Structure formats: structure tokens, C-alpha cells
């Protein structure tokens, strides 16, 4: 399958007290053309750092210290500021959790979207305005012409997020990075926005990198999922396989933690403890002290990436042990 984005062995480090602390420690991610790829994990696992690396927006003292990010044949880690400015907002765009932080509160929303398109396409103001009204209609903003002249605070949270999606999609990007785009919205609006994103992706062939801590969102719209933990990808697979043939105890924990749907959302399970600080990572498996299935080897050695199938990767000793036990049983059975 054609990948629009290929990340290999990407490392991002912060210089803290004279030594490098790794926020990303050798991650591999593929985003196929026209597909929605979920990046999941708790707070502090490195999801935003991954997005910022792709956008070329890692802030000092953080820096990319290894690996590659190939975007349609362009190596992003080596790209200059000018080249990046041409790609950002046009071929790769991003939407954030809280649109109020991305929208200018004193500029009409229509004008802000217009400015985004004029920056990348040499078209007249009249043409740009027409395109903005078209995209507002496409993303389901009622009375698009009237809303063109609204200020951000005059719109509901759901409408503001639709404006942001319109702004991100107006140049028909090849890749849309969505960082927790529905977290600030209520459940009904969340479902509408997710459906909208899926439809736009299907219609325009845009790939989406959906960053979320919510496995429910993943189940709803993602084709593939990468589960991140403490700066590493610990499991990746097509969504159905990840849900039905879960191989990593951390993924199981996330799946068990999905809150029940309804007004009184209940969390039936919580993974004990917290994500370790990147300054103080455990020697062995980074999840070992939170895992219910920890073995001695998990405390001393780092698990490697194992491929159960071409598209299902897991980084866990337990899986290896289960596989070995399975092959022993098979050997006994047939000998
Ligand atoms: N300026 C910094 N100095 C040192 N460490 C940092 C800095 N910024 C981020 N980190 C660390 O990098 C790691 C990854 O952070 P990141 O923001 O990518 O996590 P995340 O999974 O996106 O979390 P969230 O869901 O809360 O946004 C965290 O351990 C964080 O503490």
C-alpha cells in the first residue's frame, strides 16, 4: 500500500541537566494514502511530540536527534524553514483540541480561513471568499454566508471546530493531523465531527493522523492504530485486529478503560500508576511496573519490536513467551 508518510527510528531528545532525555525513542509509523491512522496513549506518551516532529515545530530545547520522516518523497527532518512553510498549511495541516487557541479572537472567522487559502494559492479575494463559503457549507456550518462574518466567540464549540476543519481542509492537504480534535466537545457533537472528518477524508483522499487518548474514537473512525507508551510504539495493527487480537498488556488496559457510553460515563477499569518521566525511565520494559503480567525479564531487558503478521507489531516479552509456548505445544502434538 502507498504510504504518504513513513517515520523510521525517530528520536526526539531534550537536554536536561547535561544529558539527553528521549521524548521519542525510535518510533516507526506508516500512514497510508487516504486512510485514518490513530495514535493513542495516555498523557505524556509522546503523541504530540510525534505531531510536532512532522510539522517541524519541535521547540528548543527539544530536537530531533535521529531517524527519518519521509513525506511523499521529501525528507522532513532535513527540510529548511522556507520549504517547510510551503508544505505546512497546504500539504500537511493540523487541527487542535481547543479551536479558541488557534483562532484569532478579533478577526472574523471567514477572513481567517480566507487568509489561509490566499497564503498558499494565487487567487483573487472574491474567489477565496467563494471557496470559504463552499467549505463552510461542506463542513456543515449553517447559514455559511452569514457565519463568514462571525467572530470566534459568537460560535458554539462545535461550530468553531467545524471552522478549524474547514481551514485545515481548504487547500485539500495530503495529510491532516488532528490532535484530540473532539475532546472539548460533548458526545453528540463529537460523533458529528468524527463522521465529518471521515467523509472529508474519503472524498478528498486526505490521510488523517488522529491523535487521541480515547479508544472509542479509534474504534469509530480509524483504519490503523499505533499505541504509544513512554516514547515508544508498543503495538500497531489494523483497528479490528488491535481490538480483537490485542497483544500488549498496555493496549488491553486502554481497551478495558473505555468509559461506558451514556450520560453518566463510568470507567470500569484504570491502569494502575502513571506513565514514567522521561528523565527516569525503568531499565527494562517501560510498562513493567504497571503491568499485571510482569516477568523477571521485563524488569531487566528491553523488549524488541516483534511482527506477529506483516501489519501487527508488538513490543512485549509476554507475547514472545506465548508464541514460544504455542510452538512447543505444536511440536509436542506432532512429534
Ligand atoms: N520542554 C520539555 N522538556 C522536557 N521534557 C519535555 C518537554 N516537553 C515535553 N516533554 C516530555 O516529552 C514527553 C512527551 O510529551 P507529549 O506532549 O508528546 O505527550 P502526549 O502523549 O502528547 O501527552 P498529552 O496527551 O498530554 O498531550 C513527556 O514525557 C513530556 O514530559
Amino acid at each position: 500500500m502507498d504510504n504518504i508518510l513513513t517515520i523510521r527510528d525517530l528520536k526526539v531528545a531534550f537536554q536536561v541537566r547535561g544529558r539527553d532525555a528521549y521524548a521519542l525513542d525510535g518510533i516507526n509509523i506508516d500512514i497510508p494514502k487516504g486512510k485514518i491512522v490513530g495514535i493513542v496513549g495516555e498523557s505524556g506518551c509522546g503523541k504530540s511530540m510525534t505531531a510536532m516532529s512532522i510539522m517541524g515545530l519541535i521547540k528548543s530545547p527539544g530536537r530531533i536527534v535521529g531517524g527519518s520522516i519521509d513525506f511523499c518523497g521529501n525528507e522532513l527532518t532535513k527540510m529548511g524553514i522556507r520549504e517547510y512553510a510551503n508544505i505546512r498549511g497546504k500539504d500537511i495541516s493540523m487541527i487542535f483540541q481547543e479551536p479558541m487557541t488557534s483562532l484569532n479572537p478579533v478577526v472574523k472567522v471567514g477572513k481567517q480561513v480566507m487568509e489561509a487559502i490566499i497564503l498558499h494559492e494565487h487567487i483573487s479575494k472574491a474567489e477565496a471568499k467563494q471557496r470559504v463559503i463552499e467549505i463552510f457549507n461542506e463542513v456543515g456550518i449553517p447559514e455559511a454566508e452569514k457565519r463568514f462574518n462571525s467572530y470566534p466567540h459568537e460560535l458554539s464549540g462545535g461550530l468553531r471546530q467545524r471552522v478549524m476543519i474547514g481551514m485545515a481542509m481548504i487547500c485539500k492537504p495530503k495529510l491532516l493531523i488532528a490532535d484530540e480534535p473532539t475532546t472539548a466537545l460533548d458526545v453528540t457533537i463529537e460523533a458529528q465531527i468524527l463522521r465529518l472528518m471521515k467523509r472529508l477524508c474519503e472524498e478528498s483522499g486526505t490521510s488523517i493522523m488522529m491523535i487521541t487518548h480515547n479508544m472509542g474514537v479509534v474504534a469509530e473512525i480509524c483504519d490503523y492504530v499505533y499505541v504509544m507508551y513512554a516514547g515508544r510504539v508498543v503495538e500497531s495493527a489494523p483497528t479490528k485486529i488491535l481490538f480483537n487480537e490485542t497483544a500488549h498488556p498496555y493496549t488491553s488496559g486502554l481497551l478495558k478503560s473505555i468509559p461506558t457510553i451514556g450520560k453518566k460515563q463510568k470507567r470500569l477499569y484504570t491502569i494502575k500508576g502513571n506513565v514514567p518521566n522521561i528523565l527516569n525511565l525503568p531499565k527494562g520494559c517501560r510498562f513493567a511496573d504497571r503491568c499485571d503480567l510482569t516477568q523477571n525479564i521485563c524488569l531487566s531487558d528491553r523488549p524488541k519490536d516483534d511482527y506477529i503478521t506483516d501489519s501487527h507489531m508488538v513490543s512485549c516479552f509476554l507475547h514472545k513467551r506465548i508464541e514460544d509456548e504455542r510452538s512447543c505445544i505444536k511440536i509436542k502434538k506432532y512429534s
Side-chain angles (χ1 to χ4, degrees):
M1 191 176 289
D2 276 356
N3 288 334
I4 199 127
L5 188 95
T6 309
I7 300 182
R8 286 293 172 267
D9 201 23
L10 184 67
K11 294 183 181 178
V12 170
F14 288 89
Q15 267 276 321
V16 185
R17 282 176 241 126
R19 68 178 178 92
D20 276 342
Y22 290 87
L24 295 182
D25 195 5
I27 62 162
N28 299 310
I29 292 176
D30 291 331
I31 302 199
K33 188 174 184 313
K35 299 289 177 193
I36 306 185
V37 174
I39 309 288
V40 293
E42 295 160 287
S43 191
C45 283
K47 307 182 298 294
S48 301
M49 212 52 77
T50 305
M52 290 303 160
S53 304
I54 299 167
M55 295 296 284
L57 294 174
I58 298 275
K59 286 196 190 109
S60 180
R63 68 202 195 288
I64 293 177
V65 291
S68 61
I69 308 175
D70 178 287
F71 173 70
C72 302
N74 300 303
E75 179 48 51
L76 296 185
T77 59
K78 305 233 166 10
M79 200 165 264
I81 294 172
R82 272 214 193 134
E83 273 178 291
Y84 238 126
N86 287 331
I87 282 189
R88 216 185 283 131
K90 185 172 179 287
D91 293 324
I92 307 178
S93 57
M94 186 157 177
I95 48 176
F96 298 88
Q97 184 181 127
E98 183 33 83
M100 266 320 242
T101 54
S102 316
L103 288 168
N104 186 335
V106 294
V107 180
K108 291 171 182 167
V109 288
K111 191 156 182 259
Q112 296 191 52
V113 182
M114 233 173 97
E115 281 168 3
I117 188 170
I118 287 173
L119 190 72
H120 293 290
E121 291 184 26
H122 300 290
I123 56 173
S124 69
K125 278 191 176 172
E127 259 179 286
K129 183 169 181 183
Q130 194 47 44
R131 287 267 296 274
V132 174
I133 290 166
E134 275 167 27
I135 197 96
F136 276 10
N137 278 320
E138 263 180 61
V139 298
I141 296 176
E143 302 178 276
E145 272 185 63
K146 195 173 139 203
R147 293 297 183 196
F148 183 96
N149 290 317
S150 299
Y151 289 96
H153 72 268
E154 293 173 328
L155 302 179
S156 65
L159 281 184
R160 280 199 292 266
Q161 200 54 299
R162 284 175 197 266
V163 169
M164 289 309 297
I165 294 171
M167 180 139 63
M169 292 298 291
I170 198 152
C171 292
K172 297 204 170 17
K174 295 189 174 90
L175 174 65
L176 172 66
I177 302 176
D179 194 350
E180 306 269 10
T182 56
T183 306
L185 305 174
D186 70 43
V187 184
T188 329
I189 309 292
E190 172 173 55
Q192 288 173 9
I193 296 285
L194 291 177
R195 275 200 296 272
L196 168 69
M197 291 179 73
K198 195 168 174 71
R199 176 172 65 77
L200 291 176
C201 165
E202 281 163 2
E203 284 170 5
S204 63
T206 296
S207 310
I208 300 182
M209 181 192 235
M210 173 70 69
I211 296 176
T212 179
H213 60 267
N214 185 338
M215 293 301 260
V217 168
V218 169
E220 183 84 22
I221 67 161
C222 293
D223 299 297
Y224 298 90
V225 194
Y226 286 77
V227 181
M228 291 192 71
Y229 188 76
R232 304 260 310 150
V233 174
V234 293
E235 183 165 7
S236 61
T239 308
K240 268 193 190 153
I241 293 183
L242 192 101
F243 277 67
N244 296 328
E245 294 168 39
T246 314
H248 200 287
Y250 180 57
T251 314
S252 303
L254 291 178
L255 290 174
K256 282 193 274 179
S257 319
I258 299 178
T260 52
I261 304 295
K263 274 199 172 158
K264 283 186 189 164
Q265 289 208 352
K266 251 192 190 168
R267 200 174 281 277
L268 299 172
Y269 177 87
T270 313
I271 306 170
K272 64 185 178 192
N274 295 307
V275 178
N277 189 308
I278 56 169
L279 286 171
N280 193 19
L281 291 170
K283 185 167 168 261
C285 169
R286 293 171 186 191
F287 186 59
D289 59 345
R290 303 179 71 194
C291 181
D292 295 330
L293 305 164
T294 302
Q295 318 281 306
N296 282 342
I297 190 169
C298 310
L299 300 170
S300 55
D301 293 14
R302 288 253 163 97
K304 295 206 166 52
D305 294 357
D306 275 324
Y307 282 85
I308 301 170
T309 64
D310 285 353
S311 60
H312 189 180
M313 187 286 287
V314 64
S315 179
C316 175
F317 291 114
L318 183 78
H319 155 72
K320 196 79 196 133
R321 217 197 41 172
I322 291 170
E323 283 291 288
D324 290 348
E325 277 170 12
R326 274 193 197 134
S327 50
C328 281
I329 292 166
K330 271 187 207 154
I331 291 163
K332 268 189 194 160
K333 214 170 154 186
Y334 296 108
S335 60

